[in-house]
């Protein structure tokens, strides 16, 4: 019986690996390439005692602790210790995203497209597809982990050792497997690939915010966040291996629950109950815009709430960030209370400027997904009923674009305003919300360029529209860690987010905002031109 449930798993695994080789290669080059390239620069960046003393002091600031985790290493410092402190949480975040992608795409998304049903019609075991996906994800993580470990050894950072390098690689591998297990479980709970993706990212976001909050307030509590286990490895310091057993144990338990649920549910359904729906459709569904809004309703609400919550969570630590000088009575005597307050305000606004790019990049995600849906729904045949009616391409295209721009803009606004409200609630000296909203105005043009580029690809090269994801991914990498890794200025400006001033710390560059907004609009119009010219996909 058990053998029958997993029959033809090997055949499916080979099929998945053959089909996904290019995607796996791109993720492999992205993750391992970043790690090895960064490791090769750290000796030149932090090779002298003065630089090490400066960066170690910076990493102890609450703002840095919230982003990279607590810096607990004792002197003497070396480049390898600094590298691990800066890169581990950051790489863990991207590793989790990779696993969410493969877990949902090869499980729940295949049920949405009917591929799973076709496979099930042949002589394969009931759980063979899920087991094949699980093994594929295990192999991807372990291979990338091994390459990362070998890459760190070959980089030859001062202070690095084989024990720490292998712990780094295997730590990321098991951390990724843990999030793959969570994503596969989410795929069993809900009834569509889109919902599974949203739920997986929601869980990851909650765990990340919990890690951030506990790291700033009380790092001992980070043990309860799951995401924080990756910090406890203390790489290149104590090289603590045993937290890996927590990750393995957690993953095994979640995999077990996932397979148990998969054996019980029907293909195409989840374990959460679904409503019967309304007897008569709402008048709002009379046009494509209302239809898009209805289909995207749940995910839109989740994105908006998540952005506001993320902003408020970051804002809640502003009191810690801005209290660096206020907690120093000697400094207060030397420069006066007014000067201390002004200095603390500058520190908070500088941190807010760093965070604003995170909200800007995250807010483009739901907008890009809506734009790309124009092609994905068309290729799946979902739009055939609309194409058969007298709905013009202009109306269909503009409805997708309008919904994308509205949702993305509101998401960015809520992230910024949440940060401002949460920050003012925690600080003794509030900063006007209009000052925080400079970030919204400052980053909105970069948001427009990103959506415009996505629309251009969706219209001109629909098969390559996924390439547009490079823009936000590179944007967050270059602005988030680009300064630490000493990226050259031209490399920062490759991304539209690299052109934005440090708002809200600095003023808005209206000239830049004007031409970037115009560029975004031009690319959207060009996208429509190509969309109107090409043939539709009719099944």
């Amino acid at each position: 019986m058990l053998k029958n449930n997993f029959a033809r798993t090997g055949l499916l695994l080979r099929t998945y690996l053959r089909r996904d080789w290019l995607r796996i290669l791109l993720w492999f080059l992205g993750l391992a390439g970043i790690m090895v390239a960064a490791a090769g620069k750290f000796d030149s960046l932090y090779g002298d005692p003065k630089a090490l003393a400066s960066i170690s002091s910076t990493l102890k600031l609450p703002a840095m602790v919230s982003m990279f985790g607590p810096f607990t290493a004792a002197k003497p410092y070396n480049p390898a210790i600094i590298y691990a402190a800066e890169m581990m949480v950051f790489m863990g975040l991207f590793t989790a995203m990779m696993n969410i992608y493969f877990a949902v795409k090869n499980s729940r998304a295949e049920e949405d497209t009917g591929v799973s049903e076709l496979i099930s019609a042949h002589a394969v075991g009931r759980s063979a597809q899920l087991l094949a996906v699980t093994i594929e994800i295990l192999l991807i993580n372990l291979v990338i982990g091994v390459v990362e470990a070998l890459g760190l050894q070959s980089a030859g950072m001062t202070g690095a050792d084989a024990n720490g390098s292998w712990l780094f690689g295997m730590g990321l591998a098991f951390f990724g497997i843990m999030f793959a297990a969570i994503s596969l479980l989410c795929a069993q709970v809900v009834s569509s690939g889109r919902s599974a993706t949203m739920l997986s990212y929601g869980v990851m976001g909650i765990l990340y915010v919990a890690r951030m909050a506990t790291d700033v307030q009380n790092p001992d509590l980070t043990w309860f966040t799951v995401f924080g286990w990756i910090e406890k490895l203390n790489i290149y310091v104590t090289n603590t291996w045993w937290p890996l057993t927590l990750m393995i144990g957690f993953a095994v338990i979640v995999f077990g629950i996932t397979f148990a649920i998969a054996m019980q549910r029907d293909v195409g359904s989840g374990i959460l109950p679904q409503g019967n729906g309304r007897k008569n459709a709402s008048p709002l569904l009379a046009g494509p815009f209302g239809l898009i809004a209805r289909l995207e309703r749940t995910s839109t609400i989740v994105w908006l709430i998540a952005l506001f919550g993320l902003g408020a969570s970051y804002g809640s630590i502003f009191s810690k960030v801005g209290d660096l000088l206020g907690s120093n009575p000697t400094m207060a005597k030397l420069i006066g209370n007014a000067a201390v307050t002004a200095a603390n305000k500058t520190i908070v606004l500088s941190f807010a400027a760093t965070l604003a790019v995170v909200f800007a990049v995250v807010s483009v995600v739901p907008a890009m997904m809506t734009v790309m849906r124009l092609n994905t729904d068309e290729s799946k045949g979902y739009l055939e009923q609309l194409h058969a009616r007298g709905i013009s391409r202009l109306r269909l295209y503009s409805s997708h674009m309008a919904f994308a721009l509205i949702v993305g803009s509101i998401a960015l606004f809520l992230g910024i305003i949440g940060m401002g409200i949460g920050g003012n609630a925690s600080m003794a000296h509030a900063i006007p919300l209009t000052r925080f909203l400079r970030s919204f105005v400052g980053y909105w043009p970069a948001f427009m360029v990103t959506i415009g580029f996505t629309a251009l690809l969706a219209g001109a090269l629909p098969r390559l529209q996924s390439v547009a994801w490079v823009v936000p991914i590179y944007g967050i990498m270059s602005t988030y860690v680009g300064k630490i890794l000493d990226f050259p200025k031209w490399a920062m400006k490759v991304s539209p987010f690299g052109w934005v001033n440090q708002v809200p710390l600095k003023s808005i560059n209206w000239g830049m905002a004007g031409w970037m907004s115009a560029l975004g609009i031009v690319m959207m119009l060009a996208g429509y031109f190509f969309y109107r010219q090409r043939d539709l996909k009719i099944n």
Side-chain angles (χ1 to χ4, degrees):
M1 181 67 180
L2 184 64
K3 184 178 179 181
N4 290 337
N5 282 334
F6 300 111
R8 301 294 183 96
T9 297
L11 175 63
L12 291 175
L13 174 61
R14 291 193 294 275
T15 303
Y16 289 159
L17 290 173
R18 192 180 303 120
R19 183 193 59 186
D20 294 336
W21 72 268
L22 182 57
R23 298 184 179 92
I24 295 171
L25 179 63
L26 291 175
W27 276 104
F28 167 81
L29 292 175
L31 295 179
I34 290 172
M35 284 190 60
V36 177
K41 295 195 67 174
F42 263 64
D43 264 15
S44 59
L45 290 173
Y46 306 113
D48 61 84
K50 186 178 179 181
L52 287 172
S54 176
I55 189 62
S56 61
S57 300
T58 302
L59 288 173
K60 292 176 182 176
L61 300 176
M64 294 296 106
V65 170
S66 70
M67 289 193 288
F68 302 117
F71 183 68
T72 57
K75 293 180 180 179
Y77 306 127
N78 57 55
I81 291 175
I82 301 299
Y83 175 87
E86 290 184 355
M87 296 295 290
M88 198 61 188
V89 171
F90 179 75
M91 293 304 302
L93 194 62
F94 277 89
T95 302
M97 292 169 65
M98 178 191 73
N99 281 277
I100 290 173
Y101 170 76
F102 280 110
V104 175
K105 184 183 79 66
N106 287 348
S107 59
R108 192 76 223 193
E110 292 217 330
E111 294 184 28
D112 295 349
T113 57
V115 173
S116 293
E117 194 171 358
L118 287 173
I119 294 174
S120 300
H122 292 76
V124 300
R126 180 179 174 85
S127 299
Q129 294 178 61
L130 183 57
L131 182 60
V133 174
T134 303
I135 296 174
E136 181 190 30
I137 292 173
L138 292 176
L139 290 174
I140 292 172
N141 281 285
L142 290 174
V143 169
I144 293 180
V146 169
V147 173
E148 288 170 342
L150 293 173
L152 289 179
Q153 281 190 272
S154 63
M157 276 186 301
T158 303
D161 53 46
N163 191 16
S165 297
W166 279 98
L167 179 57
F168 207 129
M170 291 300 102
L172 286 175
F174 287 114
F175 186 77
I177 291 170
M178 194 170 60
F179 272 89
I182 294 173
S183 301
L184 287 174
L185 177 59
C186 292
Q188 313 304 314
V189 172
V190 294
S191 57
S192 71
R194 178 177 294 273
S195 300
T197 301
M198 289 300 307
L199 183 59
S200 300
Y201 276 107
V203 172
M204 186 187 76
I206 291 171
L207 294 174
Y208 182 82
V209 171
R211 178 212 65 78
M212 179 194 74
T214 52
D215 276 345
V216 173
Q217 302 294 338
N218 185 357
D220 289 340
L221 297 178
T222 310
W223 283 105
F224 298 100
T225 66
V226 178
F227 203 112
W229 291 348
I230 200 170
E231 301 169 358
K232 308 302 180 184
L233 302 176
N234 279 327
I235 295 169
Y236 298 130
V237 182
T238 59
N239 288 331
T240 308
W241 282 81
W242 71 264
L244 293 188
T245 59
L246 288 177
M247 300 182 193
I248 297 170
F250 183 86
V252 168
I253 293 172
V254 177
F255 276 133
I257 297 172
T258 300
F259 276 86
I261 294 175
M263 288 292 292
Q264 302 298 321
R265 71 175 181 86
D266 292 332
V267 174
S269 66
I271 61 172
L272 290 181
Q274 288 184 286
N276 294 325
R278 299 171 55 165
K279 186 176 181 180
N280 298 310
S282 166
L284 296 175
L285 293 176
F289 185 88
L291 178 62
I292 298 167
R294 177 64 182 84
L295 293 174
E296 301 283 346
R297 181 180 62 179
T298 304
S299 60
T300 299
I301 293 172
V302 172
W303 275 110
L304 298 184
I305 294 175
L307 260 294
F308 183 82
L310 183 64
S313 301
Y314 269 119
S316 66
I317 65 170
F318 277 7
S319 61
K320 293 273 186 182
V321 174
D323 200 30
L324 299 175
L325 294 178
S327 60
N328 189 333
T330 304
M331 188 64 71
K333 287 182 180 178
L334 283 175
I335 65 176
N337 290 328
V340 168
T341 302
N344 285 340
K345 179 181 175 182
T346 301
I347 293 172
V348 169
L349 290 174
S350 178
F351 183 46
T354 303
L355 295 178
V357 69
V358 177
F359 304 132
V361 170
V362 175
S363 66
V364 304
V365 175
M368 289 176 65
M369 291 171 69
T370 301
V371 175
M372 291 180 182
R373 188 167 182 145
L374 183 65
N375 286 320
T376 53
D377 284 1
E378 181 182 310
S379 62
K380 293 175 182 176
Y382 296 165
L383 299 183
E384 288 188 8
Q385 295 293 326
L386 298 180
H387 292 317
R389 298 169 62 86
I391 297 175
S392 67
R393 294 199 195 189
L394 174 61
R395 190 179 176 192
L396 196 58
Y397 180 86
S398 59
S399 296
H400 280 80
M401 293 304 305
F403 189 81
L405 294 176
I406 292 172
V407 170
S409 299
I410 295 176
L412 175 58
F413 176 82
L414 289 178
I416 301 295
I417 204 73
M419 177 178 67
I421 293 174
N424 283 339
S426 68
M427 293 186 294
H429 302 281
I431 298 173
L433 288 177
T434 52
R435 184 66 182 270
F436 287 109
L437 287 176
R438 281 186 187 178
S439 299
F440 172 76
V441 180
Y443 276 103
W444 194 77
F447 165 85
M448 287 288 287
V449 171
T450 307
I451 302 304
F453 182 65
T454 307
L456 181 60
L457 280 181
L461 301 167
R463 295 184 63 181
L464 300 178
Q465 66 177 9
S466 296
V467 173
W469 290 113
V470 171
V471 178
I473 291 173
Y474 180 77
I476 193 68
M477 286 172 51
S478 60
T479 53
Y480 209 59
V481 297
K483 294 177 182 175
I484 295 174
L485 299 181
D486 199 24
F487 274 23
K489 285 186 178 179
W490 67 264
M492 301 283 282
K493 290 187 179 297
V494 169
S495 162
F497 302 99
W499 286 82
V500 182
N501 265 348
Q502 278 187 294
V503 286
L505 177 64
K506 297 181 179 178
S507 58
I508 300 166
N509 185 338
W510 290 106
M512 180 277 302
W515 71 258
M516 287 186 77
S517 299
L519 177 63
I521 293 171
V522 168
M523 286 194 288
M524 291 176 204
L525 294 175
Y528 170 68
F529 173 79
F530 289 111
Y531 174 67
R532 190 184 63 178
Q533 301 298 320
R534 70 172 174 80
D535 291 334
L536 295 174
K537 294 180 180 176
I538 304 296
N539 295 312

